[in-house]
Amino acid sequence: NLPESWEKVGYFFDLPDFLSWKATGVTVRSLCTVVCKWTYTSDRGWDDSFWKMIGLEDLVKDKYEKIGNHVLSPGEAVGKGLTPGAAKDLGLPEGIAVAASLIDAHAGGLGVIGADVKGHNLPCENQPITSRVAMICGTSSCHMGVSESPIFVPGVWGPYFSAMVPGLWLNEGGQSATGKLIDHVVRGHVAFPELEAKAAASAHSIYTYLNSHLDLIKKSLPVGFLTVDLHVWPDFHGNRSPLTDLTLKGMVVGLTLSRGLDELALIYLATIQAIALGTRHILEAMQAAGHDISTLFLCGGLSKNPLFVQMHADITGKPVVLSKEVESVLVGAAILGACASGDFASIQ
């Protein structure tokens, strides 16, 4: 709809590929981005008929120059490494290896899904990593599961070959708003100023304060039972998986006229439970389609909240693993770099 702008474009990049281009000056694309976001397949490449069907046939010319005709697997070295300009901007020596990239959540999945779990008595010990799901939970959440053969899961993206772990197929479920939803519910509550003041006075974050407040009011029952009469439907921003309905809206059932800190703590708990139930819904869809999942691996900002982690364990009935290194997205990126530099022969 903007033909003049469209004509001026030299290249289209997804963000990870834009960054590797800025670092190296080379226009290669990562298999991860073109497969997961751009309909490329690792065995057949681009499909001319698709671009014609959607009216973007001009992207086909010059062998797909604008969207990428040189595709590397994640972790392969790009060009000659950092250009002099990029090295100067980053304060690093020029020529340092730059790896073909992963999308941010996929880097988190890679950084956590292969964790060594020996000696912790987990059901995934001595099992293939296809029994694991990596959850990258931040503003929104992604649920990454891998399989040896392609599994089509209704409402869950993929299967994508070699898009996260080389040689395995990836399915990617997701929730459009998780950390953002919790924040929205808590900050929008009439008791939020009181919470903020009390948390500041106790030198704790608002979420640490809310968690300890729930422990105070739960009495003898497990904390999850506090919300027996309060329920949240969490699709305030539509549903990505497994219902794939962006028109869905959120809902809260069981409101009273009370408006104090207790009520804020309860709706916070109910929102976290709703997100965990959404995860369970995704896992059930994956398992019904043929995945065999025994263990959840969590990373991202929300995995630092013990209540969020506990509710996921309680509601899915599966053990939840947290790695010692909490910034799993950076671990995944470092793995790619360690392959591009030649220090390791493969991602595995």
Side-chain angles (χ1 to χ4, degrees):
N1 294 319
L2 297 168
E4 286 168 21
S5 304
W6 185 258
E7 281 307 310
K8 286 180 192 163
V9 171
Y11 300 104
F12 292 95
F13 290 108
D14 235 88
L15 177 61
D17 294 331
F18 174 77
L19 293 171
S20 59
W21 170 67
K22 288 290 277 185
T24 62
V26 179
T27 61
V28 304
R29 304 300 197 283
S30 160
L31 185 69
C32 178
T33 49
V34 291
V35 167
C36 295
K37 307 289 185 191
W38 285 79
T39 73
Y40 187 91
T41 59
S42 56
D43 56 342
R44 292 195 305 276
W46 298 114
D47 180 346
D48 296 0
S49 66
F50 169 74
W51 299 101
K52 290 177 181 137
M53 192 196 321
I54 64 168
L56 295 180
E57 60 269 18
D58 58 328
L59 293 179
V60 177
K61 66 181 182 227
D62 299 325
K63 296 185 180 157
Y64 290 95
E65 177 81 30
K66 284 189 176 181
I67 57 172
N69 49 24
H70 187 193
V71 176
L72 296 179
S73 289
E76 283 192 68
V78 178
K80 293 179 178 150
L82 279 186
T83 62
K88 185 164 170 282
D89 288 345
L90 295 168
L92 293 167
E94 65 180 83
I96 278 188
V98 174
S101 54
L102 283 168
I103 297 163
D104 49 3
H106 300 58
L110 184 69
V112 78
I113 202 165
D116 179 4
V117 298
K118 283 188 191 70
H120 292 282
N121 204 23
L122 286 161
C124 63
E125 188 178 347
N126 301 320
Q127 296 297 315
I129 63 167
T130 52
S131 65
R132 307 176 177 196
V133 159
M135 270 186 68
I136 300 85
C137 344
T139 309
S140 58
S141 293
C142 290
H143 305 68
M144 312 295 228
V146 291
S147 57
E148 290 192 2
S149 51
I151 299 174
F152 287 83
V153 185
V156 172
W157 294 356
Y160 303 128
F161 185 63
S162 278
M164 185 175 81
V165 181
L168 295 176
W169 295 82
L170 170 70
N171 281 110
E172 179 187 345
Q175 292 165 293
S176 304
T178 50
K180 178 70 182 168
L181 176 64
I182 296 166
D183 226 30
H184 174 78
V185 167
V186 169
R187 290 176 184 277
H189 195 276
V190 69
F192 180 69
E194 182 192 347
L195 166 66
E196 211 171 20
K198 286 185 167 167
S202 69
H204 287 303
S205 77
I206 54 173
Y207 295 114
T208 303
Y209 190 89
L210 279 173
N211 292 351
S212 58
H213 191 76
L214 284 166
D215 278 336
L216 281 178
I217 59 177
K218 74 176 187 185
K219 304 193 173 67
S220 58
L221 284 171
V223 73
F225 286 92
L226 283 169
T227 48
V228 66
D229 296 321
L230 181 63
H231 310 291
V232 173
W233 180 265
D235 294 330
F236 285 45
H237 198 54
N239 182 290
R240 178 175 148 188
S241 302
L243 301 177
T244 60
D245 185 347
L246 58 87
T247 67
L248 286 178
K249 304 288 186 283
M251 187 160 44
V252 184
V253 178
L255 292 170
T256 69
L257 290 174
S258 304
R259 43 195 284 159
L261 199 51
D262 285 6
E263 282 65 42
L264 169 49
L266 292 181
I267 197 165
Y268 158 72
L269 171 60
T271 303
I272 287 178
Q273 289 173 324
I275 291 167
L277 285 159
T279 290
R280 179 167 134 181
H281 195 187
I282 291 166
L283 294 176
E284 284 171 351
M286 291 174 74
Q287 290 181 165
H291 280 276
D292 182 14
I293 297 155
S294 70
T295 313
L296 297 183
F297 287 70
L298 263 59
C299 65
L302 289 176
S303 69
K304 297 170 188 174
N305 181 337
L307 183 70
F308 184 90
V309 175
Q310 187 64 57
M311 288 302 122
H312 273 75
D314 291 355
I315 285 168
T316 64
K318 297 187 191 297
V320 172
V321 179
L322 302 174
S323 64
K324 281 181 186 157
E325 173 47 71
V326 292
E327 302 299 347
S328 296
V329 175
L330 300 184
V331 177
I335 290 169
L336 299 179
C339 290
S341 66
D343 287 82
F344 289 85
S346 72
I347 282 173
Q348 270 85 343

